[in-house]
């Protein structure tokens, strides 16, 4: 069992953690015609907005209840009601995600009560779905906030008893925060290849995929999971829950659903992907399409090609638990050695990692670990760029935020195609690193340039 060790430092000097509200906002971006409403100070939403725009290079719809010193002390329920009324009248959203912050949680704000009062006083806006999520900054991290939104979605919008009837062609796919829009597009194509209708929750393939939309700026999300489909999740033929952090989502969904639930930690190993495809084949009753078999063959060929470059490579990682689980399993399946591992906070998935020790800390702790146990590659977000440059170790950017590379927000890592491309990327990094080392010259090497021309011609 993995030993989870907490850093002895009293503070994080070089943090890798992102707060829970960012995770909930990211998940809300995958709901159709939605706008997240942050119950906190204006700085809470402004800070999150900057991070998302740097990462996705897209406009982010996000509003705040703008708590200030007086309402923080006297109560800010009126701020919630005024903000909900303004959003409903000006933007006409289908969904509003109301999430708390450290400020409103410390104040003791009751979001459910505030929404109930709004419903009573403004019945004309009853068609707007309002989802409340508790996401205090002082607990957990981005992964917890993302999972909290999906848990609230299941609890508040899916009927407790499974409705009558089952939709035989419909499959729910709940996706962890580690899935990029590129990953989600690929997973959708796998499901559709079997003649099934995927309901991605959340669905970032239309809202944050880097598409230049026509027309004016929209104050709501474009694309995403429709509210109507989320109310019918219990009638789907099956559900895939991909991500260790979503285990509670699966536990909440199972009694509400008529279909079977399949839990997968990720799709970054051949074993997990084969299991995913096998279940799709079983649910649909169709044969595996030829293009999927070809992608699998390409992955196997890439594993052979990259074996020499990657075998025995030493890795260091700093990321959230879901990402750590995916990368560690992927690295071990390709013969790489995982050494130093750092996580921002303690999460249930850490205890099951196949490594000896996980340190709960920051990039400064990772630097100390690397001094004792050097690595060939570092896996972390863009905050680790300075550390990697100082130690002259290649940085493989993963997680959130990534603000110093274009297009990285949609890089595909999951699935047969994602693993294939990742293998080539890592193999090239290792080849480049080795070629920059001084060429070894044997002391027994002979210098033929000193041999006279007449003697050389006789040879």
């Amino acid at each position: 069992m993995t030993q989870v060790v907490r850093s002895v430092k009293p503070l994080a000097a070089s943090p890798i953690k992102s707060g829970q509200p960012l995770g909930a906002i990211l998940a809300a971006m995958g709901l159709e015609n939605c706008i997240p409403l942050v119950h906190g100070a204006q700085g809470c939403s402004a800070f999150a907005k900057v991070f998302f725009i740097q990462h996705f290079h897209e406009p982010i719809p996000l509003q705040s209840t703008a708590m200030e010193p007086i309402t923080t002390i006297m109560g800010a329920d009126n701020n919630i009601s005024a903000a909900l009324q303004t959003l409903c009248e000006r933007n006409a959203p289908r969904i509003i995600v109301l999430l708390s912050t450290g400020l409103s949680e410390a104040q003791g704000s009751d979001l459910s009560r505030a929404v109930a009062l709004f419903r009573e006083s403004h019945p004309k806006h009853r068609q707007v779905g309002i989802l409340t999520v508790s996401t205090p900054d002082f607990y957990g991290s981005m992964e917890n906030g993302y999972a909290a939104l999906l848990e609230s979605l299941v609890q508040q919008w899916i009927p407790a008893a499974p409705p009558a009837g089952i939709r035989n062609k419909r499959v729910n796919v709940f996706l962890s925060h580690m899935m990029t829009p590129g990953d989600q597009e690929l997973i959708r194509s796998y499901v559709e290849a079997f003649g099934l209708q995927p309901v991605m929750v959340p669905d970032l393939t239309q809202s944050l995929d880097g598409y230049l939309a026509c027309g004016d700026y929209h104050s709501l999300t474009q694309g995403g999971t429709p509210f109507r489909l989320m109310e019918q999740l219990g009638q789907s033929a099956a559900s895939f829950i991909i991500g260790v952090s979503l285990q509670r989502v699966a536990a909440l969904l199972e009694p509400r659903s008529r279909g079977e639930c399949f839990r997968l930690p990720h799709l970054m190993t051949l074993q997990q992907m084969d299991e995913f495809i096998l279940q799709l084949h079983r649910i649909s009753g169709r044969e595996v399409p030829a293009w999927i078999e070809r992608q699998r063959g390409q992955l196997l060929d890439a594993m052979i090609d990259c074996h020499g470059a990657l075998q025995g490579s030493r890795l260091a990682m700093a990321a959230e638990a879901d990402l750590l689980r995916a990368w560690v399993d992927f690295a071990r399946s390709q013969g790489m050695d995982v050494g130093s591992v750092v996580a921002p906070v303690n999460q249930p998935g850490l205890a099951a990692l196949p490594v000896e020790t996980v340190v709960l800390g920051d990039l400064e702790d990772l630097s100390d670990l690397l001094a004792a146990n050097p690595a060939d590659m570092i896996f972390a977000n863009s905050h680790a760029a300075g550390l990697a440059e100082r130690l002259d170790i290649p940085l493989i950017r993963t997680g959130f935020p990534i603000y110093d590379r274009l297009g990285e927000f949609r890089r595909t890592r999951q699935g047969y195609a994602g693993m294939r491309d990742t293998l080539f990327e890592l193999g090239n990094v290792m080849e480049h690193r080795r070629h920059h080392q001084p060429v070894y010259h044997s002391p027994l090497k002979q210098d033929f340039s000193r041999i006279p021309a007449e003697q050389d011609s006789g040879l």
Side-chain angles (χ1 to χ4, degrees):
M1 185 174 178
T2 305
Q3 184 180 8
V4 180
V5 180
R6 194 174 297 277
S7 174
V8 296
K9 294 188 305 183
L11 53 81
S14 183
I16 53 174
K17 171 188 170 182
S18 298
Q20 280 204 80
L22 271 72
I25 294 169
L26 176 61
M29 291 295 106
L31 308 182
E32 190 179 48
N33 288 327
C34 171
I35 184 166
L37 175 61
V38 179
H39 186 34
Q42 285 186 326
C44 299
S45 60
F47 180 75
K49 206 164 192 172
V50 169
F51 262 79
F52 279 109
I53 291 175
Q54 287 180 333
H55 183 87
F56 289 104
H57 298 269
E58 298 291 337
I60 301 296
L62 182 62
Q63 293 294 335
S64 165
T65 57
M67 291 174 65
E68 35 81 22
I70 294 178
T71 54
T72 300
I73 296 172
M74 304 302 294
D77 285 357
N78 290 337
N79 291 41
I80 296 177
S81 180
L84 291 174
Q85 182 182 0
T86 302
L87 291 177
C88 290
E89 293 179 352
R90 290 187 181 177
N91 305 111
R94 184 66 182 90
I95 299 171
I96 297 176
V97 173
L98 177 60
L99 55 126
S100 64
T101 60
L103 180 64
S104 54
E105 289 280 349
Q107 184 208 34
S109 180
D110 187 344
L111 300 185
S112 300
R113 174 178 169 276
V115 171
L117 292 176
F118 175 78
R119 294 288 195 197
E120 290 180 8
S121 58
H122 299 82
K124 64 179 180 180
H125 298 310
R126 59 181 176 279
Q127 79 282 0
V128 179
I130 303 177
L131 186 70
T132 58
V133 192
S134 176
T135 53
D137 305 79
F138 47 76
Y139 169 78
S141 65
M142 184 176 186
E143 182 171 299
N144 298 89
Y146 185 98
L149 184 138
L150 297 187
E151 292 165 11
S152 298
L153 187 153
V154 174
Q155 290 176 306
Q156 297 178 33
W157 286 350
I158 300 180
I166 187 167
R167 301 174 189 271
N168 293 323
K169 294 294 183 182
R170 189 173 292 179
V171 174
N172 306 327
V173 186
F174 284 78
L175 299 164
S176 163
H177 71 97
M178 65 180 168
M179 303 287 183
T180 67
D183 290 327
Q184 294 195 6
E185 280 182 353
L186 183 61
I187 294 170
R188 173 192 291 277
S189 69
Y190 289 138
V191 180
E192 290 177 340
F194 286 88
L196 300 171
Q197 178 191 0
V199 181
M200 318 285 279
V201 188
D203 187 354
L204 300 176
T205 60
Q206 300 291 321
S207 58
L208 289 176
D209 63 335
Y211 172 70
L212 183 60
C214 299
D216 295 333
Y217 165 76
H218 292 270
S219 57
L220 307 174
T221 57
Q222 299 182 64
T225 314
F227 183 75
R228 174 181 57 84
L229 294 184
M230 287 187 282
E231 289 184 314
Q232 299 171 355
L233 288 173
Q235 295 177 292
S236 297
S239 299
F240 289 92
I241 316 293
I242 304 176
V244 180
S245 63
L246 303 185
Q247 294 304 305
R248 187 162 182 269
V249 175
L252 292 169
L253 181 64
E254 280 176 332
R256 291 172 162 83
S257 176
R258 291 191 174 276
E260 190 176 356
C261 283
F262 302 97
R263 308 182 188 197
L264 297 169
H266 51 75
L267 297 177
M268 274 190 76
T269 62
L270 191 62
Q271 179 185 1
Q272 300 296 345
M273 260 311 295
D274 286 349
E275 175 66 19
F276 181 59
I277 296 299
L278 175 65
Q279 294 304 335
L280 290 176
H281 160 69
R282 192 176 65 81
I283 295 167
S284 66
R286 293 192 180 186
E287 295 299 321
V288 178
W291 69 268
I292 294 180
E293 291 187 352
R294 185 167 183 81
Q295 271 195 4
R296 189 178 188 277
Q298 291 171 342
L299 171 61
L300 295 177
D301 186 66
M303 292 166 68
I304 296 171
D305 293 346
C306 299
H307 175 75
L310 296 177
Q311 181 73 22
S313 301
R314 300 162 300 175
L315 312 182
M317 300 180 182
E320 304 258 9
D322 276 8
L323 274 169
L324 289 176
R325 175 65 186 273
W327 278 110
V328 169
D329 286 352
F330 174 78
R332 287 168 56 88
S333 69
Q334 305 303 322
M336 294 179 270
D337 296 329
V338 180
S340 307
V341 178
V342 174
V345 296
N346 196 3
Q347 288 157 335
L350 295 179
L353 283 179
V355 296
E356 291 184 4
T357 305
V358 176
V359 176
L360 304 180
D362 59 6
L363 292 174
E364 192 176 66
D365 295 303
L366 181 63
S367 178
D368 295 340
L369 292 171
L370 286 170
N373 187 16
D376 296 313
M377 289 183 279
I378 297 175
F379 292 72
N381 59 27
S382 289
H383 292 323
L387 171 67
E389 184 178 0
R390 178 167 57 83
L391 299 179
D392 192 24
I393 301 175
L395 172 64
I396 307 301
R397 288 165 174 79
T398 185
F400 180 91
I402 299 176
Y403 47 77
D404 55 349
R405 289 290 185 276
L406 297 175
E408 200 70 27
F409 68 92
R410 60 167 297 116
R411 182 184 287 273
T412 305
R413 302 284 190 192
Q414 311 274 332
Y416 295 130
M419 285 187 280
R420 175 200 61 200
D421 296 344
T422 301
L423 278 173
F424 287 136
E425 178 193 358
L426 300 186
N428 286 327
V429 167
M430 289 305 301
E431 289 292 302
H432 180 78
R433 181 173 173 79
R434 285 167 183 154
H435 288 167
H436 273 67
Q437 292 177 354
V439 178
Y440 173 74
H441 294 285
S442 169
L444 303 178
K445 180 184 178 183
Q446 299 182 32
D447 187 0
F448 294 101
S449 62
R450 296 180 181 177
I451 299 176
E454 56 276 12
Q455 184 179 347
D456 183 46
S457 60
L459 295 174

